[in-house]
Each structure stands twice: as C-alpha cells, then as structure tokens.
Amino acid sequence: METTRQRIADALREEPRTASDLAAALSLPTPVVYEHLEHVSRSVADGEEPGSNGAGDEGEEFLVAPPTCRECGFDRFDDPVNEPSRCPECKSERIEEPAFVIR
C-alpha cells in the first residue's frame, strides 16, 4: 500500500498540480497537503522515493510555479511552497495557487 507522500509524488510525476487539486484527489485537507509537499520536495532533492528507504529516480527535480497575484502579477513570494493570503505589493487576496511537478 502506498503512503500519502508516495501518492502525491506519483501524481506530480504525471502532470503539474496545485495543492487544492491534490487535496481533492486524495481526500485530504489542503493544509495537510502543503505539509506533505514540503517532505516530498526534500525527498526528491535527496534522491529518495517519498515514504521509502530506497533511492528514487536520479536526476528528478521538484519544480514549483510560484503563486501569482491576479491583480498586479507579483510572483516573488518568500516561500513558494505555501499559499500566501495576500499580495505584499497591492494587498489583493486574489492569489493564484502555486503549482508543483516532479520531472
């Protein structure tokens, strides 16, 4: 049986997904998905398969399309793995979620 992190990593290997997409597909709350994504990103960076003791595919990268403000286009958020509540530039709350993929 696959762990939640393995299922997240497998989904990210198929196509880019947002935390909300993953939450809906895996029946998890979005904040929990963000916690798992942090661990998955570290596992991919270390060359390990999330949730296992063996090595993962060499040369894989955990890529993040950063959150973007829909009002002013700002995309230089401090932590792209978390969903910000509002834009530091224009203070808008219309923020597009970050998207994640493993390639």
Side-chain angles (χ1 to χ4, degrees):
M1 182 174 196
E2 283 188 319
T3 67
T4 301
R5 291 180 187 160
Q6 287 171 324
R7 294 183 345 198
I8 289 173
D10 290 344
L12 295 179
R13 286 184 179 100
E14 293 173 10
E15 64 182 339
R17 307 233 181 161
T18 65
S20 294
D21 294 340
L22 293 167
L26 301 172
S27 301
L28 295 170
T30 302
V32 172
V33 170
Y34 276 111
E35 290 176 23
H36 285 300
L37 284 168
E38 288 184 34
H39 290 277
V40 169
S41 70
R42 286 196 298 263
S43 295
V44 170
D46 293 342
E48 296 178 7
E49 178 72 26
S52 72
N53 293 328
D57 292 336
E58 289 292 324
E60 280 189 327
E61 289 183 296
F62 183 86
L63 304 173
V64 180
T68 305
C69 176
R70 292 180 183 160
E71 293 292 322
C72 71
F74 182 84
D75 66 356
R76 296 180 314 276
F77 291 92
D78 293 338
D79 185 2
V81 176
N82 288 314
E83 183 178 21
S85 59
R86 67 178 145 163
C87 176
E89 288 289 311
C90 70
K91 308 302 183 210
S92 171
E93 294 181 5
R94 296 186 63 219
I95 307 294
E96 192 169 313
E97 281 188 84
F100 308 93
V101 69
I102 297 175
R103 296 242 160 103

